[in-house]
Each structure stands twice: as C-alpha cells, then as structure tokens.
Amino acid sequence: MKTKFLALALATGLFLNSCSSSSDDSTPVITPATGEITGQITSNITYPYGNYTLKGIVKINAGTTVTFDAGSTITCDKTTGDNALVVLNGGKLIINGTADKPVVFTEKSKVPGSWGGIIMYGDAPAKVAGGGATSTSEDGNNISYGSANPNPAHNGGSLVYARVEYAGSKLADGQKENNGFTFYSVGSGTTLDHLVSYKGADDGFEFFGGTVSMTNAISFGNYDDAFDWQDGWQGQANSNWYAYQTGKGNYGMEIEASLNDNAFYPVVKNITLKKEAGTVPEVGDDQVDAFQFKREGNGEYSNIIVSGYGNYTNAGGTVYKGSVCSILEDATTNQHQVNKSKIKLLNISISNTTSIIPTPGTNLTFTVAFPTGTFTPSTTATGASLTSGAWCTVDGVNLLK
C-alpha cells in the first residue's frame, strides 16, 4: 500500500491560516491531504481529511484498522481496472463521517456499475444453501464467509455517515455484480449508521448471513433491489430504511433465506419504499413488487410506507401486476413462513400500487392468506424518519425529496 501525502501540515497537526487584519479573528484553513490507496493494507493507518485515489482491489487485512476522517472523498477510476474496498475478516474499517461532512466513495465517470463498492467479511452465523454454515463469496474475491464456530458479535468496524456512489461492477470472474455495500457474515459488533448507496448497477445493500443491523440507510437509484439478503441474515435492530427507485429498479426488498426454514429472522422498523413513475425492471420481467419473499425468506417489518409499485408492461406486451408483497417462486415459503406467522408486515400504508394485498408470484396459483395480525394495513404509518443534510445530498439534490 502506498499513500502520497502532499500536505505535511496535516501530518504534523499544523494549519494554514487565512489572512486577516487580526490574528485573533483568523479562521484556520485546513489543506486537504491527497494520496493513492492501493494494495494490501497490513498496518493501522488513519487518512486525515482529504481527497484520495483508490486504485485496485484494496484489502484491509486481519488485525488492521483503517480510519477515514470526516469530509474525505475517495475516488476510483474504472479505466484502471477493477476497484473495490474490501474488509477481510478480522480487519476493521472506521468511517468517521458527520451529517455535514460525510465520507464519500465515488468513481470518476459517475456511471453506475463502475466499481465494486465496499465489501466486508466476517465470521458471524450464516445458514447457506444446503444448510451449511459457510460458503464462498460470489463477488470475484472468492473468499470464505461464515464459520463452523461462528462469532455473532464479530466487529468489522464502524461505518458512520458514508456514501458509496456508482458501484455495481463485477470483479474478476465474479458471478454477479457487486452492490454499493456488501456484508458477508458481518456481526452485531459492527456499526452501520447513516449510509447512502447511490446509483449502483446492482443492489443498494446486500447481506449474506450475519447478525449486523443497519440504521438510517438510503438506497437511491440502484438498478436491482434497494435492499437484499440471503443465507440467514438476522439483524434485529434495524430502523429508518429509505428507498427511492428511479429509472431502473426491481424489488424494494428481496428477501430470502437460501431455502432454509429458520426459527430466526430479521426485524426492520420504519421503512419507506418508493418507486418513481416510469421506472422499469432492470431485466424487463416481473420484478415490480415492494416486498418479495422467496426461498423461505421471512422477517418482521413495521411502520411502512409503500408507494408507486404499479403495473409494468414489457416489450412483448406482457403485463406484470405490481404488488405490495409477492410470495415468489415457491409455495413452500407460503406454507412455512406466511402460514406460520414468520412474515409480518405491520402498520403498512400503501398508495399508487396495483395490488394492496399480498399475492403469489406471476403465474403461480396458490392462495396467500396472512394469519390475523400479521398483515395490518394502516393510514397512519410514517415510514423512515431521516434528517436532510450534506450526507444525503448529491450534486445539489436532496435524496430525501
């Protein structure tokens, strides 16, 4: 790893002072540091406020802590090859952003799908396809996640007031595009708060197992799902999730459990899912619902606003019916999760959406009937409660409006 600092004043804690008629009235002017971040990071380092270039697939090794100070911008360039910031199990990423000085990770071209975003690995519990406790990441890094002896309290650091822009590229031979933020078996010792995933080519946020929770999150303009998870993710303290799908966008939330019928499930409170008129599915098919449950996906969701999930007609003239909630692909999810009250949609306000009752997926004929008290429409739900500021403003546009 190499970093070129061009501002010795920062390293020594000195300031450059602006001119003033009185030294007592002078305002300190901090010159932003600059430098290149690349390769394996094997020793603790703090990047002071500055403008940095991230080049390549940068990995934070086990036993290493990397810290970014408030107001920093980290930019990569897709013309140089694959780029991503990867936190390996045992490593820590500390992002000390603030509401008025977020830390921004972006890409030079401002084109969705131009880099791999932030990827974090841990050894918190996972339950993968086939019932196992471990699997290999699909992101091109081919790294194992989960553990036969899991640590639910795994701590991958603290990501606070951070924004990832234009992510979603495939890395190396990855099976799928990466997301803005990707969490593989990340544990409850990790802090995820006031995060923005902006205009990526895949999901805004995706969890593969783990116990971590996320608060105050915005998924804006991501091509696939706003929020997505599998492999038995079970975060219990999630709140204030806001999604705005525009241009291209599939499900507001894609929820699955890798075909494992679990006794545990995630809990998310205060949710807003909005889709702008004219938004089309990324792949031009039936992915048009606010909530989609499949492969034994479940969970408890409350105080929800859903708006804009209407019908979609593809190029062949097939009409797909938008729904507040679809149970897609398998009747088993309906039998094990809906009928056994493992899916709860509570205090949910629905508008500008074709079907306001849960339905089976396209071309499926089983009946979806939520038990009493597990699907409760409302006119008083308030959804996510977030405060505007620089952290959620991009090119002068407030993402919450």
Side-chain angles (χ1 to χ4, degrees):
M1 189 226 40
K2 58 182 180 180
T3 305
K4 304 172 184 175
F5 291 110
L6 303 183
L8 181 60
L10 281 171
T12 59
L14 300 177
F15 298 100
L16 299 178
N17 293 329
S18 61
C19 295
S20 171
S21 59
S22 170
S23 60
D24 293 336
D25 297 329
S26 62
T27 301
V29 176
I30 301 176
T31 302
T34 60
E36 182 178 274
I37 304 169
T38 190
Q40 300 268 345
I41 303 179
T42 58
S43 58
N44 296 347
I45 185 169
T46 295
Y47 292 98
Y49 161 66
N51 299 312
Y52 300 96
T53 298
L54 185 146
K55 185 176 181 181
I57 301 176
V58 176
K59 294 180 179 179
I60 301 172
N61 280 15
T64 303
T65 298
V66 173
T67 302
F68 287 97
D69 284 348
S72 296
T73 299
I74 300 90
T75 304
C76 55
D77 184 348
K78 67 178 181 180
T79 64
T80 66
D82 288 343
N83 302 287
L85 179 58
V86 178
V87 186
L88 299 177
N89 183 26
K92 289 185 179 180
L93 174 61
I94 308 296
I95 299 176
N96 289 325
T98 63
D100 59 340
K101 295 179 180 179
V103 176
V104 179
F105 297 82
T106 190
E107 196 279 330
K108 184 177 179 180
S109 71
K110 296 188 175 184
V111 174
S114 293
W115 71 297
I118 293 177
I119 305 168
M120 182 179 289
Y121 296 91
D123 57 358
K127 198 164 188 179
V128 304
T134 64
S135 189
T136 301
S137 65
E138 61 183 27
D139 57 357
N141 288 311
N142 296 318
I143 294 173
S144 178
Y145 63 95
S147 174
N149 297 295
N151 172 24
H154 158 265
N155 183 350
S158 176
L159 281 57
V160 178
Y161 286 107
R163 186 166 72 240
V164 168
E165 302 174 347
Y166 312 114
S169 70
K170 290 185 178 182
L171 302 179
D173 62 348
Q175 301 172 40
K176 292 179 64 179
E177 296 91 344
N178 285 282
N179 313 288
F181 294 85
T182 308
F183 302 107
Y184 286 98
S185 291
V186 173
S188 61
T190 309
T191 297
L192 306 178
D193 182 57
H194 283 94
L195 304 182
V196 177
S197 181
Y198 179 79
K199 291 192 175 181
D202 201 68
D203 303 321
F205 301 86
E206 185 161 10
F207 300 87
F208 293 82
T211 55
V212 69
S213 295
M214 180 170 65
T215 54
N216 304 305
I218 297 174
S219 180
F220 188 99
N222 294 293
Y223 284 1
D224 196 354
D225 311 308
F227 304 96
D228 189 355
W229 58 87
Q230 60 188 40
D231 294 343
W233 174 62
Q234 50 185 300
Q236 295 290 294
N238 304 281
S239 66
N240 289 326
W241 287 15
Y242 179 94
Y244 191 81
Q245 297 180 279
T246 176
K248 291 182 182 180
N250 294 337
Y251 302 114
M253 289 189 185
E254 184 174 25
I255 300 163
E256 67 156 288
S258 307
L259 285 175
N260 294 298
D261 182 8
N262 297 315
F264 54 80
Y265 49 79
V267 176
V268 189
K269 300 176 181 179
N270 309 330
I271 303 164
T272 297
L273 303 178
K274 293 184 177 182
K275 182 173 283 189
E276 185 180 43
T279 299
V280 302
E282 176 193 25
V283 293
D285 60 10
D286 62 346
Q287 300 183 43
V288 294
D289 306 304
F291 288 87
Q292 184 242 18
F293 295 90
K294 66 179 181 181
R295 294 169 61 85
E296 304 280 19
N298 56 18
E300 180 177 312
Y301 312 89
S302 61
N303 189 25
I304 309 161
I305 290 178
V306 169
S307 179
Y309 292 82
N311 290 355
Y312 166 71
T313 304
N314 70 8
T318 301
V319 178
Y320 295 104
K321 187 177 181 181
S323 174
V324 63
C325 169
S326 71
I327 313 301
L328 190 66
E329 292 188 359
D330 58 282
T332 303
T333 298
N334 190 46
Q335 295 167 358
H336 292 170
Q337 308 305 325
V338 175
N339 293 347
K340 294 183 179 180
S341 300
K342 294 182 181 180
I343 298 176
K344 298 178 181 179
L345 295 168
L346 308 176
N347 189 22
I348 179 169
S349 175
I350 307 160
S351 62
N352 302 314
T353 295
T354 303
S355 177
I356 63 172
I357 61 172
T359 63
T362 303
N363 298 322
L364 298 177
T365 58
F366 57 82
T367 299
V368 179
F370 274 61
T372 300
T374 60
F375 179 78
T376 57
S378 167
T379 59
T380 60
T382 56
S385 178
L386 298 166
T387 301
S388 298
W391 75 282
C392 60
T393 300
V394 181
D395 296 333
V397 176
N398 179 359
L399 303 185
L400 296 176
K401 294 185 177 180

